Amino acid sequence: EQDTKGKIPRKLLYGSDFPFREAPEGIRLDSQGVGSEPTFALGGFSNVWGASALPFAASDTADWPVSEAEMAPHYEACANVLNIVREQDDLAEWLPTYGRSAGQLRASNQAKTLLENLEKNRYALKAAGVRFGRARVAAKTPEKGGCAYCGLCLHGCPDKLIYNATETIAALRKHPRFNYQADAVVETVSETDDRARVYAKDRVTGIAMEFSARKVVVAAGAMATTGMMLRSRGSYDKKLRLKDSQYFLLPLALFNGVKNVRSEELHTMAQIFLEMRDPEISPYTVHLQVYTYNDVLARTVRNRLGPMLEPAARWGDAHFVLIQGYLHSDHSGGIEMTLKREGNSDRLEARGAINPETKRKIGAITGKLLGMATKIGAVPLAPLMEISSPGRGFHHGGSMPMSASPGAFETDTLGRPFGWKRVHAVDATVLPSIPATTITYPVMANAHRIGSLAGRDLT
């Protein structure tokens, strides 16, 4: 059992923490005040992700060297890989839909109640800078031979209906020119005029390994890729900042409770997305995803209320829903990454950095939700709110951002650092900023864009 002291626990897969094992030690990570960590798991954190899948809004990436129009075909391609469940609603005004329709999942009864209130006040909410709609998630619908509404999504889908990168790797393994090399922990990369090289150690034996190719694509996750790039240049004591889209958890109490929520057949991924744009709060989109009843939420709320208020918590099962809100990286804390010498070896330091704006922005968002309570049909329970530590949502990157004119620790629009031509970083490390909307889908689309363009000179 995880001792969470009333906080949302770390997400496991069928009770297993295998995605979190060994990687911090493997890359020699010394982490303090940081909620994130790297992974060695096949498929990475797609083993335990929440499946929410939105593109970044054009208004939130207007200062990027890559436009929404350039990203669009790659969003399209990745949407069909992810099988994103969505519908055409008001969210599409800000966040376009791409790819073929993947149908829709059944809304929970609490979600239906909330959606009815939101729809009644749709135009008032629009005037207040709020758009809403069903959550877009990467999961198979019953029409596609999918969801049985068993309510186990947050523990691990027993039918494996939520997209997992292991599916893509399994498909690639059927290709005669694809090879998967397990247990190779990459230390550094380099390149010459005609080759790129990868230097690694066997995770089990420590034996040195070396690979070479005409191109190398690095997608080790933002923390590991940052460390790899610092080691590759021997850049000790150079501080790079991972930007974070920090999140907060805010319970809401529905005005109209819903009966029998514990026995309802439902999915427990996000049910509703609320997007907020208010220039008095932020020039960027604030992303709010709503979860209705699930056993993890119920247990967490009871733990936060304590034994004296247990009856109120049980009453609240009918009324409580949870907002998981995200801020743009400009309003969030971050992670300071530094490579330090340690005898004949080194260690990668990760230190959480607090942004004093974070609490103020979340307070303003909570105040706006309170002012709109009658239009939403629910009131925020601010005393039960939890603000995550930097990195806890795993929505971070940007330590070596893409730039049209890259500096020393920036990359070009194909993710190439240090003026290199054959090594491309394609994960969140190269994002110029981290908007509040979900990160997995845009990272995949940007990787697809870089891979498509970088591969042209190999054909």
Side-chain angles (χ1 to χ4, degrees):
E1 282 294 315
Q2 297 182 73
D3 180 14
T4 60
K5 297 182 172 63
K7 296 184 178 183
I8 295 291
R10 184 166 70 175
K11 190 176 178 185
L12 306 179
L13 187 66
Y14 312 122
S16 172
D17 68 347
F18 81 90
F20 304 93
R21 294 179 195 158
E22 298 187 29
E25 297 80 13
I27 69 168
R28 302 188 294 281
L29 180 66
D30 172 12
S31 182
Q32 294 180 23
V34 175
S36 184
E37 52 196 302
T39 179
F40 277 176
L42 178 65
F45 287 124
S46 70
N47 288 285
V48 288
W49 74 309
S52 295
L54 286 170
F56 288 153
S59 60
D60 293 337
T61 58
D63 59 345
W64 284 27
V66 179
S67 68
E68 183 183 54
E70 291 174 279
M71 289 287 292
H74 308 288
Y75 277 127
E76 186 86 13
C78 293
N80 295 329
V81 172
L82 288 168
N83 194 71
I84 299 173
V85 172
R86 45 52 167 203
E87 56 193 47
Q88 202 69 19
D89 52 27
D90 287 351
L91 293 177
E93 295 178 18
W94 293 347
L95 300 158
T97 57
Y98 298 96
R100 58 181 175 265
S101 174
Q104 185 55 276
L105 292 166
R106 185 174 70 214
S108 71
N109 289 329
Q110 284 184 319
K112 289 175 185 175
T113 298
L114 193 55
L115 284 165
E116 286 172 8
N117 281 292
L118 292 167
E119 189 60 42
K120 285 177 186 176
N121 297 286
R122 178 185 178 195
Y123 294 106
L125 290 167
K126 273 193 170 187
V130 174
R131 301 289 187 274
F132 68 89
R134 296 289 305 282
R136 300 183 199 171
V137 293
K140 294 182 178 70
T141 61
E143 296 77 13
K144 302 284 186 180
C147 188
Y149 302 106
C150 66
L152 295 175
C153 309
L154 297 182
H155 301 280
C157 176
D159 294 320
K160 299 182 179 179
L161 304 177
I162 295 172
Y163 174 79
N164 189 311
T166 55
E167 301 168 20
T168 302
I169 295 169
L172 287 169
R173 279 179 155 170
K174 296 176 182 178
H175 194 286
R177 296 181 64 186
F178 181 87
N179 179 59
Y180 179 78
Q181 174 67 57
D183 294 324
V185 180
V186 176
E187 298 276 315
T188 61
V189 292
S190 69
E191 69 171 54
T192 58
D193 288 343
D194 62 343
R195 303 296 283 177
R197 298 188 183 279
V198 176
Y199 303 92
K201 289 183 179 179
D202 186 284
R203 181 182 61 85
V204 179
T205 66
I207 295 173
M209 309 169 76
E210 183 178 334
F211 308 90
S212 70
R214 291 166 65 192
K215 291 276 189 180
V216 166
V217 172
V218 181
M223 297 184 86
T225 297
T226 300
M228 194 186 303
M229 294 303 173
L230 287 169
R231 284 191 178 105
S232 296
R233 297 295 281 184
S235 297
Y236 296 96
D237 301 318
K238 171 68 179 177
K239 185 179 292 184
L240 298 180
R241 184 182 179 93
L242 281 175
K243 301 168 186 175
D244 186 42
S245 171
Q246 208 162 339
Y247 81 79
F248 59 96
L249 299 169
L250 177 63
L252 301 181
L254 298 174
F255 292 154
N256 299 314
V258 174
K259 296 180 180 179
N260 303 319
V261 292
R262 293 191 191 184
S263 58
E264 181 184 351
E265 294 182 351
L266 78 173
H267 77 79
T268 52
M269 294 174 286
Q271 295 267 352
I272 298 169
F273 287 164
L274 294 169
E275 310 302 325
M276 182 186 296
R277 288 183 184 170
D278 184 339
E280 294 187 7
I281 295 175
S282 172
Y284 305 108
T285 307
V286 173
H287 174 63
L288 308 171
Q289 47 194 55
V290 180
Y291 293 82
T292 58
Y293 177 83
N294 60 74
D295 58 344
V296 175
L297 165 61
R299 184 168 62 251
T300 300
V301 170
R302 288 193 192 109
N303 288 342
R304 290 182 75 82
L305 287 172
M308 296 297 291
L309 294 176
E310 173 73 11
R314 290 187 177 276
W315 167 85
D317 285 348
H319 292 263
F320 289 158
V321 297
L322 181 71
I323 280 179
Q324 185 174 26
Y326 287 87
L327 302 177
H328 188 278
S329 54
D330 279 9
H331 308 313
S332 303
I335 305 171
E336 305 288 356
M337 306 290 294
T338 314
L339 186 65
K340 295 285 188 180
R341 291 187 185 275
E342 194 167 66
N344 294 326
S345 185
D346 57 46
R347 72 179 187 279
L348 183 64
E349 286 188 350
R351 300 290 183 263
I354 302 300
N355 185 339
E357 272 199 3
T358 302
K359 284 187 177 180
R360 292 198 297 269
K361 295 298 181 184
I362 294 173
I365 294 163
T366 304
K368 187 175 179 75
L369 291 171
L370 183 61
M372 297 189 302
T374 55
K375 296 180 177 63
I376 295 173
V379 62
L381 304 176
L384 298 181
M385 181 168 60
E386 176 190 337
I387 299 175
S388 72
S389 57
R392 181 65 174 82
F394 294 83
H395 290 200
H396 55 262
S399 55
M400 298 185 68
M402 293 183 294
S403 171
S405 302
F409 282 89
E410 295 177 329
T411 56
D412 67 7
T413 56
L414 294 183
R416 294 177 293 195
F418 316 129
W420 290 352
K421 300 301 179 187
R422 296 183 174 275
V423 175
H424 302 258
V426 301
D427 56 27
T429 307
V430 302
L431 301 184
S433 60
I434 312 297
T437 46
T438 66
I439 194 170
T440 299
Y441 180 29
V443 168
M444 287 179 68
N446 190 52
H448 190 277
R449 179 189 65 83
I450 293 174
S452 301
L453 296 172
R456 286 181 181 177
D457 60 350
L458 297 180
T459 58

